[in-house]
Amino acid sequence: MIEVVDLVKHYRASSGGIVRAVDGVSFVVNPGEMVGLLGANGAGKTTTLRMLATLLSPTSGTARVGGCDVAIDPVGARRRLGYVSATTGVPDRLSAREILRSFGALHGLRGYALEARVDRLIDVLDLGKCADRPAGRLSSGQRQRVSVGRALVHDPPSLVLDEPTNALDVLGARDLLAFLADLRSSGRAILLSSHRLHEIENRCDRFVVIHGGRVVAKGTREAFVGEAGGLEEAFFAAIAGARAE
Amino acid sequence: MAVASFQINRLLTPPRLALAAIGAAFPTAVLLAATKARGGALDTDLGAILLYFLVPEAVCMLGLLVTICPVVADELERGTWVHIAVRPGGRRALLLGTWLAAVLWTGVVALVGLLLAVLAGVIENGLILLGPFSVLVCLSCIGRAALFSLPAVIIPKRALVASVGVALVVEYLAGLIPAVVNQLTVSLRLRTLLVRFMDWRRNMPIQLQLLVDDRPPWAQVAAVLILAVVFLTIAVAILEWRQFPPSEES
């Protein structure tokens, strides 16, 4: 489960002023649920996700992953969270198998348990044919799957993905989102941000729209999309409403 | 250990290996040139002085500059730091693992360089230098990798330039000032150990004796280890405290 309550993140700008990147954001992602975090560039999506991943400290408010407060028990939160960033950051020289092994070891997995987990991920992510090829020679889709595998190597109950389909073609994006839907069915809480609204429209159970660091709309897919006629229309309406205020 | 192993794996690229081979061959090449200029093997004392400047100083210093300085900047630039920092060990594991990888990588290159230089037979009784100089190499790597981790976390994008500045100002300038400030340098400890190992102190002019410490060798080793722990503790604290907004990544 992922819980965010009144989360605030302020940065000190180089000009000396304060940048309110996230300004009182609240939402919940329950187990077995996939929530889409939507917003324009600079809306505060990545900052919110990074606070959940313990990469940034909240200025105030609370963020919990699997019941662990990211400010009080960051190690507990990290053990319960898988994080996929917008940049895959996959080392070119290492193979998918070596990368998964290395990151499994960072979670304390060793020996048979580690090998079994790596084999399972290679299997479910359909990386079998390229598992031992250097990552530099993999396609964008394969690299993104390695990145997702790296986030799942410790079998976390919660998953946060920052624009995971950015570098993927239509087929790659469809496969990845179908895989995420399977993970949701297995009881994981999934929070993902994306600019490609048409891809996630029918995949997410709920949506949260942020603009200028604030939540400007949220609701179930039916409630949020239903009235507007489509996710894109609903998103534009929410942003227009926020701008009018 | 897992981060160190991962970082060493990433260092095993053909360009890095070629650089390591050049680094390992460099002391022998310089000693051979010196031998040729003198027209014969170097006596033990002169050989020890040259070897000291070539291996624990030059090779270790350069090796550490290229391995520890990019610990934050490179990871930020490649977008890879987040993937290590979201693991249970977090940023501390990232820094300490990279420090260990830098020490092991540079240490192995320097020790191979030392071995080659000694086995080349260009220094009279060169083999007796192997043990003491191995200690100097290990201490140089441990202490200076920790020292260079400070600029790496304080000013990641200028870490290399800052570390060269730290090496010149702290290690070589402050390290030669006979005052309290040189007690905080690794170079004072290495120099003192060299003088002890070579038993040079009795014959040294009084002015030069000011450049070495009076305390026994074990105290010098302990001082380097304490300095390394202090530097790394400060570096970890700074790294844990620093905020890297997404805009700082490439």
Side-chain angles (χ1 to χ4, degrees):
Chain A
M1 186 175 187
I2 297 170
E3 296 169 87
V4 172
V5 182
D6 274 333
L7 198 62
V8 174
K9 180 67 186 177
H10 294 172
Y11 294 117
R12 193 169 294 280
S14 49
S15 59
I18 297 288
V19 177
R20 296 170 186 273
V22 174
D23 203 7
V25 166
S26 301
F27 59 84
V28 174
V29 185
N30 295 304
E33 194 177 42
M34 186 161 15
V35 173
L37 185 63
L38 312 179
N41 285 338
K45 302 187 300 295
T46 298
T47 301
T48 302
L49 299 184
R50 289 200 169 195
M51 283 190 277
L52 280 167
T54 75
L55 295 167
L56 291 169
S57 314
T59 304
S60 66
T62 310
R64 287 194 202 91
V65 176
C68 297
D69 189 311
V70 297
I72 296 166
D73 183 12
V75 176
R78 287 181 205 136
R79 287 188 198 285
R80 290 161 177 79
L81 183 79
Y83 178 73
V84 178
S85 77
T87 51
T88 59
V90 172
D92 285 350
R93 210 188 56 77
L94 303 184
S95 69
R97 192 183 299 278
E98 287 171 324
I99 292 165
L100 295 177
R101 265 193 205 134
S102 299
F103 280 87
L106 293 181
H107 280 279
L109 292 172
R110 299 278 183 277
Y112 176 76
L114 177 60
E115 290 305 321
R117 184 69 190 149
V118 169
D119 287 343
R120 169 100 183 105
L121 283 170
I122 286 171
D123 185 37
V124 297
L125 289 164
D126 195 21
L127 288 166
K129 286 180 185 164
C130 56
D132 297 303
R133 200 184 299 162
R137 285 165 45 198
L138 300 180
S139 69
S140 301
Q142 288 167 331
R143 288 168 72 89
Q144 187 60 292
R145 273 183 275 156
V146 174
S147 183
V148 172
R150 183 174 51 188
L152 291 171
V153 75
H154 55 301
D155 200 12
S158 303
L159 197 57
V160 165
L161 304 99
D162 192 0
E163 298 176 26
T165 59
N166 251 7
L168 304 182
D169 60 20
V170 178
L171 288 175
R174 190 191 62 179
D175 290 348
L176 179 63
L177 290 167
F179 177 67
L180 293 178
D182 288 344
L183 291 176
R184 170 186 53 191
S185 305
S186 67
R188 286 183 176 84
I190 300 175
L191 174 65
L192 84 156
S193 78
S194 180
H195 288 298
R196 294 159 78 165
L197 305 186
H198 60 282
E199 286 176 355
I200 61 168
E201 181 165 354
N202 295 313
R203 296 286 186 184
C204 292
D205 303 294
R206 286 189 296 117
F207 294 99
V208 177
V209 181
I210 59 175
H211 181 72
R214 291 169 177 270
V215 174
V216 295
K218 60 181 169 183
T220 60
R221 183 173 59 218
E222 294 74 19
F224 185 64
V225 176
E227 290 173 17
L231 181 59
E232 229 171 68
E233 289 75 11
F235 173 72
F236 289 141
I239 297 293
R243 281 181 177 159
E245 284 175 18
Chain B
M1 281 305 289
V3 175
S5 154
F6 179 65
Q7 298 289 39
I8 287 174
N9 230 336
R10 283 167 65 181
L11 282 170
L12 293 173
T13 60
R16 292 270 191 181
L17 288 171
L19 207 62
I22 292 169
F26 170 67
T28 308
V30 174
L31 289 174
L32 282 170
T35 313
K36 202 166 181 182
R38 278 177 67 94
L42 305 169
D43 64 66
T44 313
D45 286 349
L46 179 59
I49 292 170
L50 284 176
L51 206 54
Y52 174 75
F53 285 109
L54 288 168
V55 184
E57 293 293 341
V59 172
C60 289
M61 202 73 100
L62 292 173
L64 293 170
L65 282 172
V66 296
T67 47
I68 192 77
C69 289
V71 60
V72 177
D74 240 27
E75 303 285 342
L76 277 175
E77 198 175 304
R78 289 189 283 188
T80 49
W81 83 283
V82 293
H83 304 292
I84 299 177
V86 295
R87 309 295 152 177
R91 300 172 189 208
R92 187 183 60 222
L94 174 65
L95 183 72
L96 297 181
T98 309
W99 171 81
L100 184 58
V103 169
L104 292 174
W105 176 266
T106 309
V108 167
V109 172
L111 288 174
V112 170
L114 175 65
L115 193 65
L116 290 175
V118 167
L119 293 180
V122 290
I123 303 172
E124 289 171 7
N125 301 317
L127 280 174
I128 63 165
L129 301 176
L130 201 54
F133 272 73
S134 298
V135 173
L136 294 181
V137 163
C138 293
L139 291 175
S140 176
C141 290
I142 289 169
R144 282 162 173 165
L147 176 66
F148 293 153
S149 69
L150 285 172
V153 298
I154 296 169
I155 35 173
K157 289 182 179 169
R158 299 276 180 275
L160 191 60
V161 176
S163 294
V164 171
V166 165
L168 294 175
V169 175
V170 177
E171 280 295 294
Y172 295 127
L173 184 62
L176 289 172
I177 298 172
V180 177
V181 67
N182 76 353
Q183 299 291 316
L184 298 174
T185 65
V186 176
S187 62
L188 170 73
R189 310 299 168 186
L190 298 184
R191 219 165 41 232
T192 302
L193 284 171
L194 174 69
V195 168
R196 288 278 183 161
F197 289 147
M198 300 307 295
D199 203 14
W200 286 338
R201 192 174 174 93
R202 275 174 299 180
N203 303 323
M204 280 171 79
I206 188 78
Q207 295 88 339
L208 283 181
Q209 286 189 22
L210 291 172
L211 299 178
V212 294
D213 194 52
D214 293 332
R215 281 169 278 257
W218 69 264
Q220 310 306 325
V221 174
V224 173
L225 298 179
I226 291 168
L227 281 175
V229 170
V230 170
F231 292 149
L232 285 173
T233 305
I234 296 170
V236 167
I238 293 170
L239 191 60
E240 294 273 9
W241 168 79
R242 278 201 70 157
Q243 300 288 293
F244 297 104
S247 56
E248 285 198 18
E249 292 177 20
S250 63

